[in-house]
Structures are given as structure tokens and as C-alpha cells.
């Protein structure tokens, strides 16, 4: 009787594992659509961009945005996050250009304020 219970428990566990695996989406996510990481990066960017007036504030914002952006598979988000990070200590015109490019990547992916 004990062996039968053990086998039944093992089969139930295996079935739950297989069911969990089959609920995973098939194939890669659509890179033209906003994924969760991109949404968080775009939200953080939108909430912090107006206050990013100093180099320190730009670096802080770029680090916050880039933390999420690097986990995204949405077109332009990871690259845009790196660009923000690389330009955060540059002159204001370079920062503005990278900010505009990141914002456009968010909008192109369907992000909405």
C-alpha cells in the first residue's frame, strides 16, 4: 500500500510539472510589443526624465531605467538603455538625443503614459 501511495504521489508531481511546462508560451515573445521589463523601464524613464537635470540625476535615472531595459526583448529598449547609460555623463545635447531615442523606442512598442 505504501508503494502504491508513493507511485501515485510521484505521478501526480510529474503531471503537475508537465502541466506547468506546457503553459509556457511557445517561441519567443513578439519583439515589436512591449514586454514587462520594457514597460517598467519606460515607466521609470517617464517618471524621472523631467528631474534629470544634473549629471548625477541623469546617471541615477539611466541606471534605474537600464536595470529593467537589459531584461527586455522589445526592439530598441535594451540598446536604448545602454545608450542612456553611456550618455548620462555626456553633454546635455548627447543626453537629449539618447533620451529622445529611448522615448521613441517606448512609443514604437506601444507604451502609453
Amino acid at each position: 500500500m505504501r508503494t502504491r501511495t508513493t507511485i501515485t504521489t510521484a505521478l501526480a508531481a510529474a503531471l503537475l510539472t508537465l502541466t506547468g511546462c506546457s503553459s509556457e508560451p511557445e517561441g519567443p515573445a513578439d519583439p515589436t510589443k512591449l514586454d514587462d521589463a520594457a514597460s517598467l523601464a519606460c515607466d521609470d524613464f517617464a517618471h524621472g526624465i523631467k528631474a534629470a537635470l544634473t549629471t548625477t540625476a541623469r546617471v541615477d535615472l539611466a541606471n534605474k531605467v537600464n536595470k529593467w531595459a537589459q531584461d527586455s526583448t522589445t526592439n530598441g529598449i535594451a540598446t536604448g538603455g545602454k545608450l542612456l547609460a553611456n550618455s548620462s555623463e555626456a553633454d546635455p545635447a548627447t543626453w537629449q538625443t539618447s533620451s529622445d531615442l529611448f522615448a521613441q523606442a517606448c512609443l514604437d512598442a506601444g507604451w502609453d503614459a
Side-chain angles (χ1 to χ4, degrees):
M1 184 79 139
R2 180 174 251 183
T3 304
R4 186 175 185 174
T5 303
T6 304
I7 292 172
T8 303
T9 303
L11 287 174
L15 182 59
L16 287 173
T17 301
L18 290 174
T19 303
C21 291
S22 67
S23 66
E24 293 291 320
E26 292 183 20
D30 184 351
T32 65
K33 304 293 184 211
L34 202 66
D35 61 20
D36 289 341
S39 181
L40 292 168
C42 294
D43 286 347
D44 284 347
F45 176 78
H47 289 114
I49 189 62
K50 287 187 180 183
L53 301 175
T54 65
T55 300
T56 301
R58 292 192 311 246
V59 168
D60 289 344
L61 178 61
N63 288 337
K64 188 175 185 179
V65 168
N66 203 30
K67 178 180 83 172
W68 298 115
Q70 295 312 302
D71 290 335
S72 176
T73 59
T74 301
N75 291 341
I77 299 298
T79 303
K82 284 182 185 176
L83 191 59
L84 278 178
N86 291 339
S87 69
S88 62
E89 296 184 70
D91 62 275
T94 302
W95 168 255
Q96 186 62 51
T97 300
S98 65
S99 296
D100 290 346
L101 290 170
F102 187 80
Q104 191 60 55
C106 291
L107 294 172
D108 288 348
W111 181 83
D112 189 16

